[in-house]
Amino acid sequence: MRFKLFCLFVGFIGGYFMISWMPDVTPFHFTNFITEFIFNPLKSFLAMISFLIGFLSNAVLIRTAVEETIFYYSGREVRLGELIVSCGVVANFYFLFQMNVILTGLFLIFSIFYGMMSIDLQRKSRYKNNL
């Protein structure tokens, strides 16, 4: 449960920093966007690292929310605390959408795809239950 709370916090902070450090080019022209990346390499690198860490943490929460919901409807054992904490990812994305819709949309798409790819519905190993 603490791990899921940590992922919730890290997912929001990663998304916030990614949005803050990405170059804001309005109106969007690809050449201006690439130029901003080239002339600000530290901010660009930090934005990419924040994106990677943030979408991985949100993917863990999305995976857990989907798994626990499926287990609930199939009548299997459900860890209700983890389900509630994992549903907090919706609040993360709500607040991030308030800052930048396009970047948060990309962040959400990557998180959903990776979260869905990593779903494990077997739950055969007991060591995963401790995470």
Side-chain angles (χ1 to χ4, degrees), residues 36-57:
E36 286 292 323
F37 264 111
I38 291 171
F39 287 133
N40 294 322
L42 181 63
K43 280 178 68 174
S44 302
F45 178 73
L46 291 175
M48 286 185 258
I49 295 299
S50 297
F51 178 80
L52 179 70
I53 291 171
F55 99 78
L56 287 175
S57 350

Side-chain angles (χ1 to χ4, degrees), residues 1 4 13 15-16 23 29-31 37-41 47 49 57-58 60 70 87 93 95 100 104 112 119 124 128:
M1 175 96 146
K4 304 296 186 218
I13 295 298
Y16 175 77
H29 294 286
F30 188 71
T31 54
F37 264 111
I38 291 171
F39 287 133
N40 294 322
I49 295 299
S57 350
N58 284 327
V60 167
I70 290 172
C87 288
F93 283 113
F95 291 120
N100 191 329
T104 305
I112 288 174
I119 287 180
K124 290 181 181 175
K128 283 187 178 181

Side-chain angles (χ1 to χ4, degrees), residues 63-106:
R63 178 193 69 198
T64 304
V66 170
E67 283 178 354
E68 295 299 325
T69 304
I70 290 172
F71 290 154
Y72 176 75
Y73 285 118
S74 66
R76 293 172 66 185
E77 174 189 348
V78 177
R79 296 180 297 246
L80 191 60
E82 287 190 10
L83 177 61
I84 292 170
V85 170
S86 296
C87 288
V89 76
V90 174
N92 274 357
F93 283 113
Y94 173 76
F95 291 120
L96 291 175
F97 267 113
Q98 300 301 316
M99 290 186 263
N100 191 329
V101 174
I102 295 172
L103 291 177
T104 305
L106 289 172

